[in-house]
Amino acid sequence: MKRICVIGGSRYFGRVLVQRLQATGHRVAVINRGSTPPPAGVEHLIADRDDEAALIAALGSRSFDVVVDQVCYTPVQAAIAARAFSGRTRRYVMASTIEVYDPATAALPAVPPGTSVPEETVDPATWLVRMDLPWHNAAYLQAHYAEGKRQAEAVLTQHHGFAFAAVRSAHVLGGGAAEFTGRLRHYTERITHGAQITVHAKALPTVFVHYEELAELLVWAATLSDATGPVNACSDGLLDVYGLGAVIAAQTGRKAVYRSVAAGEPASPFSFDRHYAMSNARARELGFSFSRTTDWLPGAVAEALAVTAAPTS
């Protein structure tokens, strides 16, 4: 049994993570701003993680075997966490993202299409941290999401106050209404209603992960693995936007209607004109077994279709 602190954990795979940690006998505390209570039996610490003094006050004299950070988006947040949890934990796991590999957002080593991107493509141990950038500006952060994650990883890697792992998640699907981004529903709604889907004419494949599988990998990273550094998290198998549309079309009996975008025109989510599909080889070598995307995707689509068909109040 471990004493585990989850920062965030209020919704989607974070909530599943908390439930699974609790179900396997671990003592869990959740830190959030108080709007969403954790499951019964989970300790609730209320604090804004951006307020260092309030975070330290909420922690009191508590210490943890592991901290799992679900909501770290900037180097400023990472630095606050590094100071607040120094001497309080031996291990820190951060939920990161496939977007750190997006070649449109940074000068990264080229990875040829068809080659799955390994973790060493972005090395947080050597990544430059810029605390002086306007990370508190919501518009700036939204436009620089990938760089914020890269620099947050860098701060926690270079801190050396605890063992650190960054779980770089693929695009997360599943859960129906719980999937709050609405990206899969974008497709189910458009195909159901015969609306056009804007895509790149030569859309490249990407990788996905089911939200429950991602929660399970985070449980593994927190309780069963001593691995440090970045770990890619994606189900087996590449899939492009046309393959995704085909699965939805098969369940709806409707044909997906596509329109190719012009150069520079935005396309629908999951349509990519650049390659950064991840490799999950490191996690496999460390002992984690992944499912195949094609095995769980029809179920995720069915859940999204149920939300699409539900009457609105």
Side-chain angles (χ1 to χ4, degrees), residues 57-81:
L59 290 171
S61 60
R62 295 172 181 83
S63 62
F64 305 94
D65 296 297
V66 188
V67 175
V68 183
D69 193 340
Q70 297 281 280
V71 289
C72 188
Y73 302 109
T74 75
V76 175
Q77 291 177 325
I80 290 172

Side-chain angles (χ1 to χ4, degrees), residues 3-313:
R3 176 74 169 146
I4 301 174
C5 176
V6 178
I7 306 175
S10 300
R11 59 181 179 175
Y12 206 28
F13 62 84
R15 193 162 185 86
V16 178
L17 164 68
V18 171
Q19 292 167 342
R20 293 194 178 184
L21 288 170
Q22 185 184 32
T24 50
H26 300 291
R27 296 171 57 202
V28 185
V30 164
I31 297 176
N32 62 32
R33 288 177 292 186
S35 58
T36 305
V42 172
E43 185 178 15
H44 192 190
L45 306 178
I46 299 175
D48 182 344
R49 67 162 306 147
D50 295 328
D51 184 335
E52 185 170 352
L55 176 59
I56 291 172
L59 290 171
S61 60
R62 295 172 181 83
S63 62
F64 305 94
D65 296 297
V66 188
V67 175
V68 183
D69 193 340
Q70 297 281 280
V71 289
C72 188
Y73 302 109
T74 75
V76 175
Q77 291 177 325
I80 290 172
R83 290 189 294 267
F85 286 97
S86 287
R88 295 181 188 271
T89 188
R90 297 191 297 271
R91 181 168 177 80
Y92 201 103
V93 177
M94 172 187 155
S96 191
T97 173
I98 186 177
E99 301 301 332
V100 302
Y101 300 117
D102 185 351
T105 64
L108 300 173
V111 178
T115 302
S116 297
V117 180
E119 286 85 353
E120 56 265 28
T121 302
V122 175
D123 182 3
T126 60
W127 201 263
L128 178 65
V129 174
R130 290 283 308 277
M131 293 290 190
D132 58 323
L133 297 175
W135 295 115
H136 295 291
N137 181 291
Y140 180 87
L141 178 55
Q142 183 176 7
H144 297 83
Y145 170 73
E147 182 60 17
K149 283 288 193 178
R150 284 187 287 258
Q151 292 195 27
E153 285 188 26
V155 168
L156 292 166
T157 299
Q158 297 168 25
H159 173 61
H160 302 303
F162 34 62
F164 173 67
V167 173
R168 294 173 175 169
S169 168
H171 308 292
V172 189
L173 297 179
E179 197 275 286
F180 61 91
T181 69
R183 292 178 296 182
L184 184 55
R185 291 199 301 278
H186 170 86
Y187 289 91
T188 58
E189 289 171 358
R190 287 183 173 273
I191 292 174
T192 298
H193 297 110
Q196 285 186 336
I197 300 169
T198 55
V199 297
H200 300 96
K202 296 181 179 180
L204 295 173
T206 187
V207 285
F208 296 89
V209 66
H210 192 272
Y211 78 111
E212 291 183 334
E213 185 167 43
L214 179 56
E216 195 59 39
L217 189 141
L218 287 165
V219 170
W220 169 83
T223 66
L224 299 174
S225 174
D226 294 325
T228 58
V231 179
N232 292 340
C234 59
S235 300
D236 292 337
L238 301 176
L239 188 72
D240 64 21
V241 64
Y242 300 109
L244 175 61
V247 174
I248 298 169
Q251 292 199 36
T252 59
R254 303 293 299 271
K255 183 179 179 180
V257 180
Y258 299 106
R259 178 180 68 81
S260 296
V261 298
E265 182 184 355
S268 294
F270 309 138
S271 180
F272 297 100
D273 59 354
R274 55 202 185 276
H275 168 70
Y276 58 107
M278 299 188 299
S279 166
N280 64 15
R282 182 170 192 240
R284 283 190 169 280
E285 291 167 359
L286 290 167
F288 190 85
S289 296
F290 289 96
S291 66
R292 292 194 61 81
T293 299
T294 50
D295 290 338
W296 56 258
L297 183 58
V301 167
E303 292 171 333
L305 285 169
V307 175
T308 299
T312 56
S313 56

